[in-house]
Amino acid sequence: MLESQSIQRATLLAVVLSVVPCSGLAVGAHRWPDQRQVGPLLCHADFPLDKYVPFFQEIAELQTDLVSTLGVSKTREYIHLYLFSKRSTYQRYLREHFPGVPYRRALFVKGHGPGMVFAYASGDFQVDLRHECTHALLHASLPMVPLWLDEGLAEYFEMPASQRQRGSPHGGPVRRAVLFRRYADVQSLEAISGIDKMNGRDYRQAWSWVHFMLHGPVAAGDELRSFLGDIQAQVPPGRLSDRLTEKVPDLNRQFVRHFRR
């Protein structure tokens, strides 16, 4: 995503039960003119969803992609999508149920209950939903994901499957940055303390390291999957930067080579 687009989305990992009961969002079917289930997705919309069914089937397949690509387990938890036709209705709904949360074009919220994704039908509707549903599915399978990696994976999987390796708008800027050696290492990404501290460049750099691990040296991809496997097994995973450096001793040079190719 372009910088202005990336920073309009956010992940809110909060105890939402203290704000509004999760069940209270889904009850009262009359409030949602269209509701349907597609795979692990429970969709609630204030507009007809017929034309989006093929897209929701694609979103539902994200879970299969995450399992096969990252080695995480398939979640048994449903993900609730709350979709609005107008930005104004979306904003009003969020103000009512999540007062004080800064405006974002799309939002993932996770508390003690099922993950919830909120979005409105903007020009980037499909990209936004892939991004936020990636967060939702990851957090339904794993007890935690480091912030930078969480966002890097969401940036990677927000593209259609056919465009993930070579179709991201991040590709060109990252290649130019690497050419002039203006890239962030994993340690600097690990040091980011909060979502409000991330800017467009950070999202882009997080994407670049995920791309490197998934399409670069086999050892890097294996270590990413091992790292996530430890998190899933609730084994202290340590720092991914340390693990990558151990498995790929010339890590930064390999990263540069990857994008120069």
Side-chain angles (χ1 to χ4, degrees):
M1 291 296 292
L2 299 177
E3 178 169 340
S4 61
Q5 295 173 326
S6 293
I7 61 179
Q8 287 189 64
R9 294 185 309 241
T11 302
L12 178 64
L13 299 179
V15 183
V16 297
L17 292 177
S18 64
V19 180
V20 57
C22 293
S23 59
L25 292 170
V27 298
H30 64 279
R31 297 183 57 190
W32 302 100
D34 200 339
Q35 298 191 107
R36 60 187 72 198
Q37 178 181 348
V38 183
L41 308 177
L42 299 178
C43 309
H44 317 271
D46 67 359
F47 58 92
L49 292 174
D50 293 323
K51 71 175 184 178
Y52 290 104
V53 169
F55 171 64
F56 288 130
Q57 291 172 338
E58 176 197 331
I59 291 286
E61 290 170 5
L62 258 178
Q63 179 165 244
T64 301
D65 294 344
L66 294 173
V67 171
S68 62
T69 304
L70 304 178
V72 298
S73 296
K74 183 177 180 180
T75 177
R76 298 178 181 178
E77 182 177 298
Y78 287 115
I79 308 300
H80 288 270
L81 307 187
Y82 298 95
L83 309 174
F84 303 84
S85 61
K86 296 180 180 179
R87 174 177 173 175
S88 58
T89 310
Y90 165 76
Q91 288 179 301
R92 186 165 60 250
Y93 190 87
L94 290 185
R95 282 197 301 268
E96 178 182 351
H97 293 287
F98 302 100
V101 173
Y103 168 75
R104 295 292 188 270
R105 197 178 59 225
L107 187 70
F108 161 56
V109 178
K110 174 68 172 175
H112 293 310
M116 300 179 289
V117 171
F118 302 87
Y120 72 94
S122 70
D124 295 292
F125 182 60
Q126 295 190 8
V127 172
D128 288 346
L129 281 185
R130 290 192 201 95
H131 184 105
E132 301 302 338
C133 286
T134 298
H135 286 311
L137 290 166
L138 283 173
H139 285 273
S141 298
L142 302 171
M144 60 79 68
V145 187
L147 173 62
W148 77 270
L149 183 58
D150 196 11
E151 293 300 337
L153 288 168
E155 292 288 309
Y156 177 83
F157 284 101
E158 74 181 21
M159 301 301 293
S162 62
Q163 298 179 39
R164 287 173 191 158
Q165 183 173 1
R166 298 184 182 275
S168 172
H170 287 316
V174 167
R175 286 191 294 273
R176 288 191 292 273
V178 165
L179 181 64
F180 294 102
R181 296 192 175 274
R182 296 174 181 170
Y183 63 90
D185 57 24
V186 179
Q187 291 91 332
S188 64
L189 292 170
E190 288 174 331
I192 298 173
S193 59
I195 191 70
D196 58 327
K197 300 295 194 299
M198 289 191 72
N199 57 34
R201 180 178 180 274
D202 296 325
Y203 280 90
R204 190 162 54 244
Q205 296 290 349
W207 170 88
S208 71
W209 280 100
V210 167
H211 191 281
F212 167 76
M213 288 185 285
L214 295 180
H215 301 290
V218 173
D222 288 346
E223 198 55 39
L224 171 63
R225 286 181 278 274
S226 177
F227 179 79
L228 294 174
D230 284 347
I231 292 175
Q232 188 161 273
Q234 300 189 36
V235 174
R239 289 161 55 97
L240 183 54
S241 58
D242 295 336
R243 296 173 63 143
L244 287 172
T245 300
E246 181 180 350
K247 298 295 183 179
V248 188
D250 54 346
L251 181 63
N252 288 343
R253 185 171 66 85
Q254 290 276 17
F255 175 84
V256 169
R257 288 183 60 191
H258 173 71
F259 283 102
R260 284 187 172 176
R261 290 201 301 268

